[in-house]
Amino acid sequence: MKVGEISYTNFLPIFHGVNRVKLEREHGISFVKGVPAVLNKKMKEKQLDVSGMSLYAYLENEEQYELISPFCVGSDGGVGSITLFSKFPLRSLDHKRVAVTNTSATSVGLLKIILKTFFQFENAFTVSDPCLPTMMKHHDAALLIGDDAIKHRKDTNYYQYDLGSLWKEQTGLPMVFAVLAKQKNVNIPPVLVQEMEQSLAACYKDSFHRLINEIEDASLDRLFWENYFQNALSYELTPRHVESINLYKTFAAFPTKQEKM
């Protein structure tokens, strides 16, 4: 069994304490790390049995997968790592050029919902590698996610807008950015779910201190990381999170199974 592990820091708690050696030796479970776009593709092509996935990629082929509860990566308001950097105030972005990261589809879809559905803006979008200086050379705004967004959080050259906050303001719901899913025909060894649950519980028990100590720039801004894990992020797929997923699905207008055929 091959398990995809999202390489962004926000996904760390689910796999941080997992005993990979034991799982591989006793259960034949191996782990593949990658950014969401890469893991999404591998899941679609059935190269992975289980994986963290962008919500968008999960919904695109929902009939192929099953969610593994109670895991997700979400936020009930500002998240701190899904950020629109802009040369202009948000309300002035109508008809502006926007560069979007090529590393995940969920946040790109969310940005389009916010600009088009919530604000009735018309924008031209360009998919780009996640490099802020390059993206802003020829665009008015740029969307970065995960660690790429976090490292520019102190950049004062641009307005910054947190997409988790904008979604909560408009819908009153938390936002789900990533889910844990499996191929429908795959049976997961219970020990894998137990290991992930224990990993997440251990992180909460020590207030994420051990995990934060392993992050490269934690010593430079420890308060940010403590707030990020303990307050900004949520990892439990609650009924409100499911409601949010369904609303996102409606706004994003995914084709039905019949339409795909």
Side-chain angles (χ1 to χ4, degrees):
M1 175 173 287
K2 292 186 178 180
V3 178
E5 181 179 351
I6 294 177
S7 56
Y8 287 147
T9 307
N10 61 13
F11 209 78
L12 278 177
I14 296 174
F15 287 100
H16 182 257
V18 167
N19 189 333
R20 292 169 175 78
V21 174
K22 175 187 174 183
L23 289 175
E24 183 161 12
R25 182 189 300 130
E26 298 181 9
H27 301 277
I29 299 172
S30 60
F31 293 83
V32 178
K33 281 193 175 185
V35 297
V38 172
L39 299 183
N40 296 341
K41 184 173 184 292
K42 288 181 180 293
M43 277 291 280
K44 185 177 180 181
E45 296 173 353
K46 299 186 178 180
Q47 297 178 33
L48 295 172
D49 302 293
V50 177
S51 187
M53 299 183 68
S54 298
L55 174 65
Y56 193 99
Y58 165 77
L59 290 172
E60 268 189 320
N61 295 281
E62 190 175 2
E63 70 276 3
Q64 181 179 335
Y65 311 121
E66 287 183 6
L67 290 177
I68 302 174
S69 294
F71 306 103
C72 76
V73 177
S75 71
D76 196 3
V79 62
S81 58
I82 314 289
T83 308
L84 180 68
F85 298 84
S86 177
K87 297 174 182 176
F88 302 93
L90 180 64
R91 296 284 180 175
S92 301
L93 280 180
D94 193 16
H95 292 96
K96 296 294 192 294
R97 298 164 299 172
V98 182
V100 295
T101 179
N102 61 4
T103 56
S104 179
T106 303
S107 299
V108 174
L110 176 58
L111 178 61
K112 290 179 179 180
I113 290 169
I114 289 169
L115 294 181
K116 186 174 182 63
T117 304
F118 296 159
F119 295 113
Q120 289 80 53
F121 291 169
E122 294 292 336
N123 298 97
F125 297 94
T126 304
V127 179
S128 172
D129 289 333
C131 175
L132 186 60
T134 302
M135 296 167 91
M136 296 302 274
K137 276 184 181 179
H138 305 292
H139 297 86
D140 303 301
L143 173 66
L144 291 176
I145 73 165
D147 298 351
D148 297 311
I150 290 172
K151 71 182 179 183
H152 290 289
R153 64 187 182 274
K154 295 183 179 180
D155 192 327
T156 58
N157 294 312
Y158 306 109
Y159 295 95
Q160 294 189 28
Y161 298 98
D162 189 299
L163 267 60
S165 291
L166 293 173
W167 174 262
K168 179 67 180 291
E169 288 170 9
Q170 296 292 324
T171 68
L173 292 169
M175 178 61 201
V176 176
F177 299 102
V179 295
L180 193 66
K182 72 178 186 70
Q183 305 287 353
K184 274 194 173 176
N185 62 343
V186 168
N187 293 319
I188 302 177
V191 65
L192 176 60
V193 177
Q194 292 168 6
E195 286 273 345
M196 292 186 293
E197 288 178 335
Q198 290 169 5
S199 173
L200 194 54
C203 286
Y204 276 110
K205 186 175 182 179
D206 79 347
S207 300
F208 296 90
H209 292 323
R210 189 164 63 115
L211 187 153
I212 292 170
N213 289 338
E214 298 175 14
I215 296 173
E216 188 174 345
D217 71 340
S219 60
L220 302 178
D221 199 347
R222 190 175 184 91
L223 287 178
F224 167 82
W225 290 107
E226 289 176 350
N227 180 70
Y228 185 59
F229 286 115
Q230 296 182 56
N231 300 315
L233 292 173
S234 55
Y235 291 96
E236 183 181 359
L237 191 65
T238 70
R240 290 183 72 241
H241 287 79
V242 173
E243 182 182 353
S244 178
I245 289 174
N246 291 331
L247 185 60
Y248 180 99
K249 181 179 179 180
T250 299
F251 284 139
F254 289 93
T256 64
K257 188 174 182 179
Q258 289 75 17
E259 288 172 334
K260 289 181 181 180
M261 296 171 64

